[in-house]
């Protein structure tokens, strides 16, 4: 049976799977997708690599749990960009349908792991800010580097396990079950579970940040009333408020970029998608890359520590560039003086 008829008689799987999901019909659509993926993916890799360099090149930032979670987010975005762009462009632009079910599900698992880890890293960052601003006196005792690394290990292991389930057998070919209209070989019940998992993560993040921003607003009011009495505590509270607002901006971008994709996934579970909607889903998928690209820009603009580290890197680069430009001139002058002698 042809997989193209799965929405109506969705219990079979055949070798025609891949072609039925290649929804970009014109050259203009393929060029547009390739351009978006190329621009977003390249910038995302460069920016997040720079964030990782800034964090781990500074002894002060790499020891803080907050920046360990941000590092996890940056790493997840880098991996998502590489795997997503390569597999997505190969599939939709070059119509790469020659690989097996296992290789496709392996690529899809890599994309799911990376994007799930990105979302989960943001949740850990939200919880970190929640503890920092709600229990500041106990923060260093509660949020140690060992606990932060343990949380990150559990996070990545959980995301990798959930993402590998289709490859391990939870797919519509192995189970002879209903297939998704959006992804080849993916069981519809698995897609429902992954969407629920993502929505639960988003709900927890929103709840944590709602509390963080409420406490941040209280801190601002408190600082305005006790400006002279706070001293060092005032500075720390201001940094907590600033970081909370920064990560709230990250959350806002996350929701805006992921909402279209999640809405279409949910819609596909309950109703049949038309070809135009499947094309819209393909273009909306690139918004996930846009989200990964925007996050480090927000860090660089809003985090004073990363901002100062970035300025130091640029300053050092300018000095090296200036020295390299002056060096040939000095060498040329030296040689001419030797010749004259």
């Amino acid at each position: 049976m042809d997989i193209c008829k799965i929405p109506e008689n969705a219990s079979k799987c055949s070798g025609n799977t891949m072609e039925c999901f290649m929804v970009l019909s014109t050259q203009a659509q393929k060029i547009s997708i390739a351009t978006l993926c190329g621009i977003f993916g390249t910038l995302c890799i460069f920016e997040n690599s720079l964030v990782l360099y800034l964090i781990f090149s500074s002894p002060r930032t790499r020891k803080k749990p907050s920046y360990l979670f941000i590092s996890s987010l940056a790493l997840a975005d880098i991996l998502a960009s590489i795997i997503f762009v390569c597999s997505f462009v190969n599939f939709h632009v070059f119509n790469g349908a020659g690989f097996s079910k296992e290789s496709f599900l392996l690529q899809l698992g890599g994309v799911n792991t990376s994007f799930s880890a990105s979302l989960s890293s943001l949740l850990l960052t939200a919880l970190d800010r929640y503890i920092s601003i709600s229990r500041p006196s106990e923060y260093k005792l509660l949020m140690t580097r060992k606990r932060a690394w343990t949380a990150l290990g559990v996070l990545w292991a959980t995301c990798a396990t959930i993402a590998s389930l289709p490859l391990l057998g939870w797919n519509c070919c192995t189970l002879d079950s209903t297939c998704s209209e959006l992804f080849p070989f993916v069981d519809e019940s698995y897609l429902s579970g992954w969407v629920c998992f993502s929505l639960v993560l988003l709900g927890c993040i929103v709840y944590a940040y709602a509390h963080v921003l409420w406490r941040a607003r209280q801190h601002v009011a408190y600082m305005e009333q006790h400006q002279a009495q706070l001293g060092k505590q005032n500075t720390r509270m201001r940094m907590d408020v600033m970081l909370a607002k920064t990560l709230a901006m990250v959350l806002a971008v996350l929701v805006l970029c992921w909402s279209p994709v999640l809405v279409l996934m949910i819609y596909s579970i309950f109703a049949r998608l038309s070809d135009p909607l499947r094309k819209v889903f393909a273009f909306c998928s690139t918004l996930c890359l846009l989200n990964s690209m925007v996050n480090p820009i927000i860090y660089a603009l809003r985090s004073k520590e990363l901002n100062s580290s970035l300025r130091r890197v640029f300053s050092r680069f300018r000095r090296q560039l200036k020295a390299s430009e002056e060096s040939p001139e000095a060498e040329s002058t030296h040689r001419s003086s030797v010749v004259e002698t």
Side-chain angles (χ1 to χ4, degrees):
M1 179 180 289
D2 196 331
I3 195 86
C4 296
K5 297 182 179 180
I6 273 187
E8 299 173 354
N9 193 358
S11 61
K12 299 293 180 184
C13 185
S14 75
N16 242 1
T17 303
M18 313 304 281
E19 290 81 358
C20 301
F21 292 85
M22 296 174 183
V23 296
L24 303 182
S25 55
T26 67
Q27 194 67 19
Q29 292 173 353
K30 294 181 180 180
I31 292 174
S32 299
I33 282 288
T35 302
L36 290 174
C37 288
I39 294 174
F40 293 163
T42 302
L43 290 175
C44 178
I45 293 170
F46 171 75
E47 292 169 0
N48 283 287
S49 298
L50 181 59
V51 168
L52 287 176
Y53 173 76
L54 293 176
I55 290 175
F56 285 98
S57 63
S58 171
R60 183 177 179 184
T61 54
R62 67 169 174 255
K63 292 180 180 180
K64 293 185 177 181
S66 301
Y67 288 103
L68 290 179
F69 299 145
I70 292 176
S71 300
S72 174
L73 179 59
L75 177 61
D77 286 338
I78 291 173
L79 294 177
S81 299
I82 295 173
I83 302 172
F84 177 84
V85 169
C86 292
S87 59
F88 195 78
V89 171
N90 180 49
F91 185 81
H92 284 291
V93 177
F94 298 109
N95 297 335
F99 40 85
S100 64
K101 177 189 73 173
E102 288 74 19
S103 62
F104 178 83
L105 291 178
L106 180 62
Q107 293 180 35
L108 184 63
V111 174
N112 284 347
T113 298
S114 304
F115 280 128
S116 298
S118 177
L119 194 60
S120 301
S121 297
L122 192 56
L123 174 60
L124 286 183
T125 310
L127 295 176
D128 175 72
R129 289 302 89 201
Y130 178 90
I131 296 172
S132 174
I133 207 165
S134 61
R135 305 174 70 176
S137 60
E138 304 173 46
Y139 173 76
K140 289 187 177 180
L141 294 175
L142 294 174
M143 189 57 66
T144 61
R145 292 184 75 246
K146 183 178 179 180
R147 290 180 178 178
W149 281 111
T150 302
L152 289 175
V154 172
L155 178 158
W156 281 89
T158 302
C159 292
T161 300
I162 293 174
S164 64
L165 290 177
L167 184 62
L168 296 175
W170 192 356
N171 59 75
C172 59
C173 297
T174 302
L175 300 177
D176 195 27
S177 57
T178 303
C179 294
S180 166
E181 291 184 73
L182 294 174
F183 305 101
F185 310 117
V186 174
D187 181 75
E188 197 171 75
S189 62
Y190 171 81
L191 181 62
S192 302
W194 191 85
V195 170
C196 290
F197 173 68
S198 301
L199 291 175
V200 168
L201 288 179
L202 278 174
C204 293
I205 294 170
V206 170
Y207 173 81
Y209 272 114
H211 185 83
V212 166
L213 293 177
W214 174 66
R215 291 300 297 266
R217 187 175 180 181
Q218 285 186 326
H219 281 192
V220 170
Y222 183 79
M223 285 186 293
E224 289 176 352
Q225 294 177 1
H226 304 82
Q227 197 76 15
Q229 302 173 356
L230 287 174
K232 292 184 179 180
Q233 186 181 1
N234 186 17
T235 303
R236 183 186 175 192
M237 290 172 70
R238 284 189 183 279
M239 290 180 62
D240 286 340
V241 170
M242 176 65 75
L243 191 52
K245 290 180 179 179
T246 298
L247 296 173
M249 292 172 63
V250 174
L251 174 62
V253 172
L254 176 81
V255 172
L256 289 174
C257 291
W258 276 86
S259 292
V261 171
L262 291 175
V263 167
L264 286 173
M265 284 184 181
I266 295 171
Y267 182 78
S268 72
I269 295 170
F270 298 101
R272 183 177 180 182
L273 290 177
S274 61
D275 286 341
L277 278 179
R278 293 168 72 192
K279 291 179 182 179
V280 169
F281 178 79
F283 279 92
C284 287
S285 298
T286 61
L287 291 176
C288 302
L289 280 179
L290 177 63
N291 169 64
S292 299
M293 186 192 76
V294 170
N295 283 345
I297 297 176
I298 298 176
Y299 304 147
L301 291 177
R302 300 282 298 180
S303 172
K304 289 185 178 180
E305 291 177 311
L306 291 185
N307 206 346
S308 61
S309 297
L310 184 60
R311 286 198 300 269
R312 285 196 298 270
V313 169
F314 282 144
S315 177
R316 187 163 60 246
F317 176 75
R318 283 198 300 268
R319 287 197 302 270
Q320 292 175 352
L321 187 62
K322 186 177 179 180
S324 64
E325 289 176 350
E326 292 177 350
S327 180
E329 296 178 1
E331 185 178 351
S332 176
T333 304
H334 176 70
R335 286 179 178 177
S336 62
S337 63
V338 170
V339 171
E340 290 174 1
T341 304

